[in-house]
Amino acid sequence: MNRDIDSTLEKTVQSHNLEKEILHLLKTKDEKKLFNTANETRKKYVGDEVHLRALVEFSNYCKQNCLYCGLRRDNSRVKRYRIDPQDIIELAKKAKSYGYKTIVLQSGEDSYYTVEKMARIISHIKDLDIALTLSIGEKTFEEYKAYRDAGADRYLLRIETTDENLYAKLNPGMSLKNRMRCIENIKKLGYEVGSGIIAGLPGQTLESIAKDIIYLKSIPVDMAGIGPFIYHSNTPIENIEGDFFNLSLKIMAVLRLILPDINIPATTAMETLNPNGRLIALQSGANVVMPNATETIYRRHYEIYPGKICLGDSPAHCRGCIENKIKSINRYVSSGKGFHIRQGVV
Ligand code: SAH
Ligand code: SF4
């Protein structure tokens, strides 16, 4: 069953049965070859530069109840916090002074931040002449439009899984249909679209992951983030064992081959599972890192999953640390805003 990756890739590009070919890549025994080919493709299409995005986790309140997430509303053990709008703007200014060209504002679904509050935050940050990404969950078309009108450039909303039954089971009160509608609306409004999945969810299969990849291609996404599932003991989900680090790496590599010019982050969750996780990902197809720019006092409370890295570090420390790591693998930090540059491949 171990056909040569090169021939599979060729077939994948022309294939009418993309799912079968993706599945074959995900199941390959020659993982090294898959990772190396993805690394070469990354170099060819998006070069050696690494785009940094400063992540500001501004609220851990959430009205949703996703079974896998430590911020779910029924987790009463989490100490909830909100960062004041003016302080969010200050954090963005600080991040800019460290050389970041993109700020990512992420939170649980927190209705404290009304459309007006968010629009004000967005337009102040945009005055700093940096790119702005939002990752604040499911909203109406009108809300997404208001944020876009205020200047937001990109939006991250992972599809998590395209398996409808699994989605319904893991996301009570939510639906795959609505999640897809949100992603379509984000696209329609001219945002750069970031989506992705969690790799290793209980009940997820390689077949469904192959379908997830096809879905991401169908959008097509400008950014695809893959995070390994990390069990949180204050959630009702099953704790299953598996090498989700390796699985995530394979999915990232396949995405690089199928959507060669997109942005792919080496996610923080990868580093939680392996001390060199982000560098390994950067050498297997990824070209983006999202260092934490949240103030140290809040970090440990933004516990989507346990074991998050750099909890005691300051935003300034994280900026310097990641640059040194990137240099250690002969890559360099980009001086641009890192928008997706289409190269006519999808
Ligand atoms: N509330 C927003 C953004 C914050 S959550 C949203 O849900 O879109 C950001 C991401 O964290 C989610 O998309 C999910 O993919 C990831 N996540 C949640 N729980 C996780 C876990 N236990 N392990 C790994 N990733 C997780
Ligand atoms: Fe809330 Fe996002 Fe966590 Fe779901 S994944 S509970 S929406 S923070």
Side-chain angles (χ1 to χ4, degrees):
M1 260 313 278
N2 191 20
R3 280 185 289 152
D4 186 55
I5 286 182
D6 291 333
S7 83
T8 305
L9 272 179
E10 215 169 283
K11 285 204 182 88
T12 304
V13 172
Q14 306 149 356
S15 179
H16 296 296
N17 192 348
L18 194 55
E19 190 178 329
K20 188 169 141 235
E21 300 304 337
I22 291 174
L23 206 51
H24 181 77
L25 289 173
L26 291 174
K27 286 181 178 170
T28 183
K29 296 271 181 299
D30 199 351
E31 292 177 358
K32 219 175 181 157
K33 179 133 196 210
L34 173 64
F35 299 147
N36 286 339
T37 315
N39 195 33
E40 284 160 19
T41 308
R42 182 271 309 154
K43 191 175 171 72
K44 182 171 161 204
Y45 283 86
V46 294
D48 281 338
E49 61 183 356
V50 176
H51 302 290
L52 298 186
R53 325 289 200 199
L55 180 65
V56 175
E57 301 157 332
F58 67 93
S59 163
N60 68 355
Y61 281 84
C62 191
K63 66 177 185 202
Q64 301 293 5
N65 223 3
C66 308
L67 259 52
Y68 39 77
C69 178
L71 303 189
R72 64 197 305 272
R73 69 165 184 265
D74 285 355
N75 180 13
S76 55
R77 296 202 192 160
V78 63
K79 185 173 179 298
R80 305 283 173 174
Y81 73 86
R82 290 188 172 111
I83 301 183
D84 183 72
Q86 194 52 44
D87 293 340
I88 298 174
I89 297 164
E90 292 306 318
L91 277 178
K93 281 187 192 157
K94 244 194 219 169
K96 182 183 169 160
S97 76
Y98 301 141
Y100 287 112
K101 311 283 185 223
T102 294
I103 306 289
V104 181
L105 295 184
Q106 191 179 80
S107 68
E109 289 196 16
D110 182 358
S111 21
Y112 167 83
Y113 299 88
T114 57
V115 177
E116 294 70 33
K117 277 199 182 93
M118 280 314 298
R120 196 182 141 254
I121 296 168
I122 293 165
S123 61
H124 274 84
I125 294 180
K126 283 307 292 178
D127 285 345
L128 304 173
D129 186 29
I130 42 182
L132 178 62
T133 305
L134 297 176
S135 175
I136 57 177
E138 297 186 6
K139 308 284 170 185
T140 63
F141 181 86
E142 288 69 31
E143 287 170 307
Y144 287 138
K145 183 169 187 314
Y147 308 149
R148 179 85 183 120
D149 290 345
D153 302 286
R154 310 183 182 124
Y155 205 102
L156 305 183
L157 190 72
R158 284 190 183 163
I159 195 69
E160 319 292 7
T161 172
T162 56
D163 177 329
E164 201 161 359
N165 292 330
L166 185 61
Y167 190 95
K169 197 173 130 198
L170 297 175
N171 303 87
M174 299 168 85
S175 75
L176 181 64
K177 247 193 202 126
N178 190 51
R179 194 94 175 160
M180 287 181 165
R181 193 181 312 127
C182 286
I183 292 173
E184 277 160 30
N185 286 340
I186 290 164
K187 181 93 189 170
K188 256 187 229 156
L189 286 161
Y191 285 95
E192 277 204 349
V193 180
S195 191
I197 66 165
I198 303 183
L201 289 166
Q204 194 180 38
T205 59
L206 283 184
E207 285 72 15
S208 84
I209 291 175
K211 290 195 174 88
D212 299 341
I213 293 173
I214 292 170
Y215 169 76
L216 296 173
K217 180 177 163 61
S218 77
I219 299 296
V221 292
D222 300 290
M223 190 283 265
I226 307 304
F229 168 63
I230 300 173
Y231 170 72
H232 192 305
S233 61
N234 294 340
T235 60
I237 206 168
E238 211 183 319
N239 183 7
I240 51 163
E241 298 282 316
D243 189 352
F244 305 141
F245 179 84
N246 188 261
L247 175 62
S248 301
L249 219 51
K250 284 195 278 189
I251 301 169
M252 263 182 245
V254 172
L255 277 163
R256 173 59 69 204
L257 301 176
I258 301 225
L259 292 164
D261 61 13
I262 64 167
N263 286 321
I264 300 181
T267 55
T268 313
M270 292 296 274
E271 198 114 331
T272 297
L273 297 185
N274 182 313
N276 283 317
R278 288 181 296 181
L279 293 188
I280 296 170
L282 284 174
Q283 295 171 99
S284 312
N287 69 322
V288 171
V289 177
M290 295 164 67
N292 201 326
T294 313
E295 277 165 294
T296 320
I297 49 161
Y298 297 118
R299 288 189 184 191
R300 69 193 170 92
H301 304 302
Y302 198 82
E303 199 184 54
I304 288 178
Y305 52 81
K308 277 180 68 183
I309 56 164
C310 313
L311 287 184
D313 296 335
S314 68
H317 172 89
C318 289
R319 177 63 179 77
C321 167
I322 197 66
E323 177 143 15
N324 288 336
K325 284 193 174 195
I326 289 167
K327 283 183 183 155
S328 77
I329 54 164
N330 293 323
R331 301 272 283 279
Y332 65 95
V333 172
S334 161
S335 57
K337 288 180 181 155
F339 283 98
H340 171 205
I341 300 164
R342 273 198 189 77
Q343 303 187 25
V345 282
V346 282

